[in-house]
């Protein structure tokens, strides 16, 4: 078994703290510990003021989502891409980013391919996510045979590069980051999330593989996507026990693709795109407009064999 990354001490996410403080102020309670000593409970806030308070705790990017918009191949933002040379702890890759600079900074996602794969295996997530308001870096690993621990380290290196040295560093909110990856890249995703809960706001392992089955150390919202007929990382010994072990994640979900194999998430498909996008919007942007696509859980269908979750917002 490869060694795990050493996790850092968790702390309450900035988004959750802001939401908690907003709730207290809106309720008219005294916040003496913060130096607010003269808050008087008067009339309930108006609908307009409540909407304004909610918007201030979120990082909404783009118009109100619809079922059609989350399923579309691309979103409302025009995008560009730029190649990243090898170095900085990983073997280069591609950055996809919105050209719009009028809405402030964006959350960012680093994505790793799986064993023997290069970034082309997961490249479709670049345009899909960037055009919906994220800065995305898809990486090549230093060695195509790297195991999950090395892939997790390289995902973190990619985030460090993206937020400090990349040509789009000034477009990224360094406190709103996410990781994702396929197969051993999915195992690396869990390891990276466990190591940096203070800045990583969401994790999305795709048909994940890892020798470790216990991920109680992960303390960030995590969506695991499994494939019903996966013979390389069978869900019964990988995706499902991974999900069940996420007892310390503030939110978790398990999406199992009907009659799908190990490579299903490497090709653009509506179901995977819908839930990956909605998860990242909800937890990286704290955009509650996307809760409707995550909760209540979808029923089994021709594309979903099973869905389990902790129901966002419950």
């Amino acid at each position: 078994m490869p060694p795990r990354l050493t996790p850092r001490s968790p702390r309450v996410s900035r988004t959750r703290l802001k939401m908690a403080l907003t709730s207290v102020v809106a309720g008219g309670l005294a916040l003496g510990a913060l130096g607010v000593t003269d808050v008087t409970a008067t009339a309930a806030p108006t609908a307009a003021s409540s909407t304004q308070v909610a918007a201030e705790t979120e990082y909404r990017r783009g118009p109100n989502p619809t079922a059609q918009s989350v399923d579309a191949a691309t979103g409302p933002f025009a995008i560009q891409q730029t190649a990243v040379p090898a170095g900085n702890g990983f073997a280069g890759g591609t950055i996809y980013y919105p050209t719009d600079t009028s809405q402030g900074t964006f959350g960012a996602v680093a994505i790793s391919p799986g064993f023997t794969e290069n970034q082309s295996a997961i490249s479709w997530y670049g345009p899909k996510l960037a055009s919906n308001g994220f800065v995305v870096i898809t990486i090549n690993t230093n060695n195509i045979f790297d195991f999950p621990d090395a892939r997790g380290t390289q995902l973190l290196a990619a985030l460090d590069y993206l937020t400090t040295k990349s040509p789009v560093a000034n477009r990224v909110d360094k406190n709103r980051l996410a990781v994702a990856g396929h197969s051993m890249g999915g195992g690396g995703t869990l390891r990276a999330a466990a190591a940096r809960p203070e800045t990583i706001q969401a994790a999305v392992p795709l048909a994940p593989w890892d020798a470790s089955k216990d991920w109680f150390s992960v303390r960030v919202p995590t969506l695991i996507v499994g494939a019903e007929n996966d013979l390389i990382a069978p869900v019964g010994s990988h995706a499902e026990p991974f999900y069940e072990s996420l007892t310390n994640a503030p939110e978790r979900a398990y999406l199992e693709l009907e009659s799908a194999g190990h490579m299903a998430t490497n090709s653009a498909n509506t179901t995977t795109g819908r839930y990956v996008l909605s998860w990242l919007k909800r937890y990286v942007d704290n955009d509650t407009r996307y809760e409707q696509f995550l909760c209540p859980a979808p029923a089994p269908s021709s594309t979903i064999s099973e869905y389990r979750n902790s129901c966002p917002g419950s």
Side-chain angles (χ1 to χ4, degrees), residues 8 28 43 72 79 81 87 109 126 139-140 166 172 209 222 227-228 236 242 245 250 261 280 296:
R8 299 182 182 180
I79 66 170
Q81 65 185 70
V109 189
I139 70 170
N140 289 315
S166 78
V172 179
W209 187 101
T222 302
E228 183 182 30
F242 293 174
S245 72
L280 295 175

Side-chain angles (χ1 to χ4, degrees), residues 91-131:
T94 304
I95 298 172
Y96 304 82
Y97 60 97
T99 59
D100 189 343
T101 58
S102 68
Q103 300 192 42
T105 55
F106 296 94
V109 189
I111 309 177
S112 169
F115 194 69
T116 76
E117 298 172 349
N118 60 37
Q119 65 167 328
S120 64
I122 38 88
S123 62
W124 74 276
Y125 295 98
K128 168 74 176 182
L129 298 176
S131 64

